[in-house]
Amino acid sequence: MPEPVDVNTCKSCLYRSFLFSSLDPHDLIRVNLSKKEMEYHQGEIVVRQGDPIREFMYLKTGLLKISQDIGTYGNQIIGIAKPLDFIGLLSVFSEDHYQYSITAIEPSSLCHIPLELMKEIIIKDGPFGLKILGKMSEMNEKVLQNRLQINRRNLRGRIAYILLQFSQEIYKNEKFTLPVSRKEIGELINMRTENVIRILSEFRKDNIIEISGKEIVVLDTQRLQQISEFG
Amino acid sequence: MPEPVDVNTCKSCLYRSFLFSSLDPHDLIRVNLSKKEMEYHQGEIVVRQGDPIREFMYLKTGLLKISQDIGTYGNQIIGIAKPLDFIGLLSVFSEDHYQYSITAIEPSSLCHIPLELMKEIIIKDGPFGLKILGKMSEMNEKVLQNRLQINRRNLRGRIAYILLQFSQEIYKNEKFTLPVSRKEIGELINMRTENVIRILSEFRKDNIIEISGKEIVVLDTQRLQQISEFG
DNA sequence: CGCGGCTTTGATGTTCATCAAGTAAAGTGG
DNA sequence: CCACTTTACTTGATGAACATCAAAGCCGCG
């Protein structure tokens, strides 16, 4: 079960996010009063595909996976969200039920704000609405480009691409622990688990990476970039 | 060259779009005064990837293709936009240069509104901003889902899928004229031109469709749906 | 009328999914 | 805590799906 937390006022919480910076003090207080901050354990489900959307969410710390059940075809992972990624904006303003499931793949802390309050503030505070518009546009763009990037690569390129993403975008370190299984990597970059494993082993044999279970060390970033680019 | 048109006031123009319906009369007049309506011939480029974004655009009639140059790898067609698709919302609020090229693939009429004016109105008119937010969310969702749908199908499934899209979503008729070349279909659904042709011929031989150049008649919609679903 | 791009079909090879089978790791209940 | 079950991981072999290469006809356009 997710655990409610009650440590931060929005002052400090929102200080870190740059989203609410310009908000009218009165509105900030209202957000502060009605927000709920929750901690999720690794593996815990944050929202389930099909649930009604009642809140705007914002990832403070941790890592999430956004996925979609596609019946017989299994599970499609759309992407991985890190703090400041505004994954809560995905279809919040156009649907009334979640099109995606969201799962914590690392211990995560999320801030929940009633959607009605958000809408109210957007209506009242034009510049804030415009800011949300920008963030949303940005995030959607990023997700779409990510999918396009993945799909135009061959399997080796996809593995290289995703390893670079973990190393450079997410953990900012050549050494990191995979937050997902081999199977999930396959679901994320559209390939079979067996081939994920095969190509990872291949990279290991070629001294491009070191692997030990979920521990990865990128030894040759440049080579990875080359494979990501040219296959 | 695109030709400016000067026939409609926003009263009638915007009546058809449901976007501006709630706008303050004063703002409506301002939009009306500064909007430019332009006609594009088939094949004409509306915006070029890399151009600065200065306008919000809205397709009144016709058909557009949204594409992206990906260097050595050729050209990726992201999608096809029809009236009411709000393709103008793609990355308008997060980027200052177009990430995509937009080309008329049928004679098209577009309404151009200065982006600054749009932003100004969004800031002033909260409910309008919220409406834009909803439309944008909706459109992004649609584009993303479309890409995911395409990429999880095999080649036969992709052709079936895109034929159904033309027939049911775009032309609402079993008989239609392809607005794009075989090559472009390949760029749209991620496959080689040769295979586009091969599978179209296959469908013809199986009496699922009739083909004559760019003229297509869907003879067996149900079969197409089945192939789209199960490959 | 000739050039370049689009269309078409066939042949070939590569890439990848699938099947199979075994080991390791991680939960689960007694 | 240990037997048991399940899930994750790994490697190899095979075949299907798809890209690529090649060659020729077609069409539109300068």
Side-chain angles (χ1 to χ4, degrees):
Chain A
M1 297 288 101
E3 292 162 21
V5 189
D6 194 26
V7 279
N8 301 315
T9 68
C10 287
K11 264 251 157 66
S12 59
C13 158
L14 299 177
Y15 166 73
R16 299 171 60 187
S17 108
F18 44 105
L19 186 60
F20 295 94
S21 53
S22 68
L23 220 58
D24 173 282
H26 173 67
D27 290 329
L28 192 59
I29 290 169
R30 292 184 65 202
V31 169
N32 199 358
L33 285 173
S34 56
K35 76 146 203 309
K36 275 179 301 181
E37 196 178 330
M38 308 277 270
E39 301 279 350
Y40 294 84
H41 300 121
Q42 188 164 354
E44 242 180 316
I45 294 175
V46 177
V47 306
R48 216 177 288 267
Q49 188 174 343
D51 281 357
I53 304 181
R54 288 196 249 271
E55 291 167 332
F56 167 81
M57 288 179 318
Y58 175 77
L59 179 62
K60 289 187 67 185
T61 61
L63 213 57
L64 305 175
K65 87 171 177 196
I66 290 81
S67 62
Q68 195 170 33
D69 187 41
I70 46 177
T72 331
Y73 300 94
N75 207 294
Q76 166 85 59
I77 299 182
I78 306 341
I80 291 180
K82 55 180 203 301
L84 302 182
D85 267 358
F86 291 95
I87 214 64
L89 292 174
L90 252 187
S91 50
V92 170
F93 293 104
S94 60
E95 303 282 342
D96 50 1
H97 293 265
Y98 285 105
Q99 307 296 300
Y100 309 101
S101 292
I102 301 182
T103 312
I105 54 178
E106 282 188 0
S108 298
S109 151
L110 279 94
C111 200
H112 299 252
I113 300 169
L115 190 54
E116 281 313 313
L117 177 58
M118 282 296 284
K119 286 187 178 173
E120 199 185 304
I121 294 176
I122 288 168
I123 287 175
K124 213 173 54 183
D125 185 340
F128 179 68
L130 191 57
K131 194 177 228 175
I132 294 274
L133 211 45
K135 292 292 172 201
M136 188 166 111
S137 179
E138 202 180 303
M139 197 211 50
N140 276 301
E141 190 60 30
K142 201 164 144 184
V143 171
L144 177 60
Q145 284 302 322
N146 195 240
R147 296 317 313 176
L148 294 172
Q149 288 288 341
I150 287 167
N151 287 316
R152 75 153 153 277
R153 285 169 163 75
N154 66 12
L155 298 199
R156 278 167 56 87
R158 285 180 207 178
I159 293 287
Y161 178 78
I162 204 69
L163 286 175
L164 285 171
Q165 209 156 23
F166 278 125
S167 160
Q168 301 187 330
E169 319 269 307
I170 295 176
Y171 295 110
K172 302 185 194 309
N173 197 325
E174 320 77 62
K175 192 161 177 279
F176 59 89
T177 305
L178 280 176
V180 288
S181 68
R182 313 284 197 260
K183 181 157 164 287
E184 286 172 307
I185 292 177
E187 290 168 354
L188 176 61
I189 59 180
N190 297 353
M191 55 191 281
R192 294 292 132 184
T193 312
E194 294 94 316
N195 288 325
V196 173
I197 290 162
R198 243 186 281 276
I199 291 168
L200 283 175
S201 303
E202 208 177 303
F203 284 2
R204 180 170 39 71
K205 276 174 212 141
D206 295 347
N207 290 317
I208 300 170
I209 56 174
E210 267 174 25
I211 319 175
S212 161
K214 294 207 183 308
E215 304 295 321
I216 304 268
V217 185
V218 174
L219 299 174
D220 193 341
T221 301
Q222 207 167 1
R223 185 102 184 71
L224 270 191
Q225 277 162 341
Q226 194 186 325
I227 294 171
S228 169
E229 188 66 19
F230 305 107
Chain B
M1 295 290 102
E3 292 161 21
V5 189
D6 192 27
V7 278
N8 301 315
T9 68
C10 287
K11 263 254 158 61
S12 59
C13 158
L14 298 176
Y15 166 74
R16 300 172 60 186
S17 108
F18 44 106
L19 186 60
F20 295 94
S21 53
S22 68
L23 220 58
D24 174 285
H26 173 68
D27 289 328
L28 192 59
I29 290 169
R30 291 185 65 202
V31 169
N32 199 357
L33 285 173
S34 56
K35 75 146 204 305
K36 274 179 301 181
E37 196 178 331
M38 306 276 272
E39 301 279 350
Y40 295 84
H41 300 119
Q42 188 163 354
E44 242 181 317
I45 294 174
V46 177
V47 306
R48 215 177 289 267
Q49 187 173 342
D51 280 358
I53 304 180
R54 288 196 248 273
E55 291 167 333
F56 167 81
M57 287 178 319
Y58 175 77
L59 178 63
K60 290 187 65 183
T61 62
L63 213 57
L64 305 175
K65 88 172 177 196
I66 291 79
S67 62
Q68 195 172 32
D69 186 41
I70 45 177
T72 332
Y73 299 95
N75 209 295
Q76 165 85 60
I77 299 182
I78 309 327
I80 290 181
K82 55 180 203 301
L84 301 182
D85 267 356
F86 291 95
I87 214 64
L89 292 174
L90 253 186
S91 49
V92 170
F93 292 104
S94 60
E95 303 282 343
D96 50 0
H97 293 265
Y98 285 105
Q99 307 295 300
Y100 308 102
S101 293
I102 301 182
T103 312
I105 54 178
E106 282 187 359
S108 298
S109 149
L110 279 95
C111 200
H112 300 252
I113 299 168
L115 189 55
E116 282 313 313
L117 177 58
M118 283 295 285
K119 286 187 178 173
E120 198 185 304
I121 295 176
I122 288 168
I123 287 175
K124 212 174 55 184
D125 184 341
F128 179 68
L130 192 58
K131 194 178 228 176
I132 295 274
L133 211 46
K135 291 292 171 202
M136 187 165 111
S137 181
E138 202 181 301
M139 196 211 51
N140 276 301
E141 190 61 30
K142 202 164 145 185
V143 171
L144 177 61
Q145 285 302 322
N146 194 240
R147 296 315 314 177
L148 294 172
Q149 289 288 341
I150 287 168
N151 286 315
R152 75 152 155 279
R153 285 168 162 77
N154 66 13
L155 297 199
R156 277 167 56 87
R158 286 181 205 176
I159 293 287
Y161 178 77
I162 203 68
L163 286 175
L164 284 171
Q165 209 156 19
F166 278 125
S167 160
Q168 301 187 328
E169 318 269 307
I170 295 176
Y171 295 110
K172 302 184 195 309
N173 198 325
E174 320 78 60
K175 193 160 178 280
F176 58 89
T177 305
L178 280 176
V180 287
S181 69
R182 312 288 197 256
K183 182 157 165 286
E184 285 172 308
I185 292 178
E187 291 168 352
L188 176 61
I189 59 180
N190 297 354
M191 57 191 280
R192 295 290 133 186
T193 312
E194 293 95 318
N195 287 325
V196 173
I197 290 161
R198 245 185 280 274
I199 291 168
L200 284 175
S201 303
E202 209 177 303
F203 285 1
R204 179 170 39 71
K205 276 173 212 145
D206 294 348
N207 289 318
I208 301 169
I209 56 174
E210 267 175 26
I211 319 176
S212 162
K214 295 208 184 306
E215 305 294 322
I216 304 268
V217 185
V218 174
L219 299 174
D220 193 341
T221 301
Q222 208 166 1
R223 185 102 184 71
L224 269 191
Q225 277 163 341
Q226 194 186 324
I227 295 171
S228 169
E229 189 65 20
F230 305 108

